Amino acid sequence: MNGGADENTVQSCNWAAQRGHDVVLLHGEAVHPEIMAKVDPRVKLIAVPALTRSISPASDLRALLALTRTIRALNADIVHTHTSKAGILGRFAAWAAGVSAIVHGVHIVPFVNVGFAERFAYLALEKLAAPVTSAFISVSAGIRDLCLNAGMGRPDKHYVVHSGFDLDRFRHAGPPDDWRDLLRLTPGAPRPPVLLMIAAFEPRKRHTEFLDAFKKAEARLPDAVLVLAGDGPLHSVVESRAKSLGLERRVVFTGYRSDPERLIALADLCLLCSMREGLPRAVMQYLAGGKPCVVCDLPGLREVLRPGINGVITPAHDLAAMADAIAALLEDRETLSCLAQGAAATDLSNWGAKLMGKRIDAIYRKVLDQHRASKGVSTSRPARNIALPR
């Protein structure tokens, strides 16, 4: 666990536990200690070792059986799954265990910008899982529409709940105290333009591809420092790529940081070049910190990022265009300043953490009450809720 979907999962669990629900978080092998440390003590943690990130028929079957046994033993009222693979296995397991309400959080659409075989497989599995899904919670209207257009469930089962976070934490942050050391500046050296990308080191985030584009635009970015914050399976690969391109002095790798708001406060311009996302929390956090963004086009992005007002949107498959847009903004400080003002003025009220919790809780109650009413059961007691991340 090391990305926005994981933080969303933890916040959802914590909110439900704080509201009196009996919450159990089932997790697979890929967990990040710093993220797990944020889980409320009232949330029970159960590891499912067979639940891996990579696709493996044998391991996936073991995970499915383990999840089914665990969910049945817990006598869960609600199962709320997260991420693509765990979402499919978790929903089938919940259905097999006879769970009353099965909710799936759609943080990313797995059948977009992938090869034909992968698209076909994920679409087929999602359509099989749709009939047993009581509700879909998408992080943006664009993601919801992609799901509906693909034939995933009826429109009345789809809801949009933006991935919330503590807005004030980002609005009032200052740079890290050791920012000069972080940027590896010598005593007396002037502060350079700072570019920031916060993203897990995964293939879909395209770190290595962006470094190639950054290298080609290097002549237009002679002083800029690129800060890459995050961790993940490709961290060492990306770091090696930076060295092979001769960018080791221009690129700073921070690893996982518990203070992303301070990195945003340090930055002049914030970036994201993912090929697949929902509506990235990182972009909302950039804007909450009052920093303009250059982001590759994603479904739902225009719900909050407005070209010429608070950022720039570049074509999804053209990282050279992204590098050119970055260089153009650093060369035009007046436009960059105007975009920063637009970022600070962006209305992010729909991304508050409390509002997200209230909306998810309302969906839980609605789908559970619908099921109980159909069975003639009382709707007054608290629910036992399970969330399944990666």
Side-chain angles (χ1 to χ4, degrees):
M1 299 173 66
N2 57 14
D6 305 317
E7 293 179 357
N8 177 291
T9 300
V10 170
Q11 287 186 350
S12 299
C13 289
N14 290 351
W15 177 270
Q18 292 159 11
R19 294 303 175 275
H21 298 306
D22 188 4
V23 183
V24 182
L25 174 60
L26 306 183
H27 62 85
E29 61 164 4
V31 295
H32 202 292
E34 289 84 356
I35 294 289
M36 296 299 283
K38 298 178 182 180
V39 178
D40 191 290
R42 287 166 286 192
V43 177
K44 182 179 180 180
L45 301 176
I46 297 179
V48 182
L51 186 58
T52 61
R53 293 173 62 91
S54 58
I55 296 175
S56 168
S59 180
D60 295 344
L61 178 59
R62 290 195 299 271
L64 178 63
L65 295 174
L67 288 169
T68 303
R69 287 194 300 268
T70 303
I71 293 170
R72 182 180 289 122
L74 291 168
N75 191 29
D77 292 311
I78 299 173
V79 165
H80 184 173
T81 64
H82 297 264
T83 74
S84 302
K85 179 181 171 181
I88 290 169
L89 293 175
R91 280 178 285 166
F92 285 136
W95 172 76
V99 173
S100 302
I102 303 172
V103 178
H104 179 52
V106 189
H107 303 272
I108 183 173
V109 178
F111 47 81
V112 171
N113 290 334
V114 295
F116 175 80
E118 191 173 356
R119 172 181 170 80
F120 177 83
Y122 267 116
L123 268 176
L125 290 169
E126 286 289 353
K127 288 183 179 181
L128 282 173
V132 305
T133 307
S134 307
F136 297 87
I137 301 179
S138 295
V139 295
S140 74
I143 290 296
R144 175 203 59 197
D145 293 344
L146 284 173
C147 292
L148 286 172
N149 291 338
M152 289 170 51
R154 303 192 311 265
D156 62 328
K157 288 189 174 185
H158 284 262
Y159 303 85
V160 174
V161 178
H162 295 111
S163 189
F165 59 96
D166 184 350
L167 295 170
D168 288 340
R169 175 183 169 190
F170 289 82
R171 285 172 173 157
H172 305 302
D177 294 337
D178 63 344
W179 66 268
R180 293 189 65 87
D181 292 334
L182 179 70
L183 299 180
R184 301 190 297 246
L185 299 180
T186 57
R191 179 192 179 283
V194 177
L195 308 173
L196 172 67
M197 185 186 300
I198 300 177
F201 284 75
E202 302 172 350
R204 65 186 175 91
K205 302 293 187 175
R206 298 195 291 186
H207 287 87
T208 53
E209 295 90 337
F210 178 72
L211 287 180
D212 292 339
F214 182 77
K215 176 65 175 179
K216 291 178 181 177
E218 186 178 18
R220 296 181 63 189
L221 302 165
D223 303 317
V225 173
L226 172 63
V227 178
L228 298 179
D231 202 355
L234 294 185
H235 187 280
S236 60
V237 174
V238 178
E239 197 162 7
S240 295
R241 184 60 177 167
K243 290 180 180 178
S244 69
L245 292 170
L247 294 173
E248 60 266 33
R249 295 184 179 277
R250 305 285 305 281
V251 181
V252 173
F253 292 84
T254 71
Y256 176 86
R257 297 276 301 212
S258 61
D259 60 347
E261 71 281 4
R262 288 184 170 273
L263 296 181
I264 293 170
L266 176 63
D268 294 286
L269 188 60
C270 294
L271 321 172
L272 195 67
C273 57
S274 306
M275 68 171 68
R276 294 192 307 279
E277 290 277 6
L279 184 53
R281 286 163 64 93
V283 172
M284 308 305 117
Q285 292 168 352
Y286 295 160
L287 296 173
K291 297 305 167 75
C293 316
V294 178
V295 182
C296 289
D297 205 357
L298 294 164
L301 193 61
R302 286 172 174 78
E303 289 182 37
V304 67
L305 194 60
R306 296 173 177 83
I309 303 297
N310 55 11
V312 176
I313 299 175
T314 59
H317 299 288
D318 192 349
L319 293 183
M322 183 180 188
D324 287 341
I326 293 166
L329 285 175
L330 292 186
E331 291 167 350
D332 185 352
R333 305 299 291 191
E334 183 176 351
T335 297
L336 184 63
S337 177
C338 289
L339 292 179
Q341 294 175 28
T346 303
D347 180 9
L348 297 172
S349 56
N350 281 329
W351 280 267
K354 290 183 179 179
L355 181 59
M356 180 186 78
K358 289 179 180 179
R359 287 176 172 173
I360 291 176
D361 191 60
I363 294 168
Y364 287 166
R365 294 182 183 279
K366 180 178 179 179
V367 297
L368 190 56
D369 287 351
Q370 287 174 341
H371 175 82
R372 288 173 173 171
S374 70
K375 302 295 183 181
V377 180
S378 170
T379 62
S380 60
R381 63 187 178 90
R384 181 186 291 270
N385 164 48
I386 297 178
L388 294 136
R390 300 181 189 275

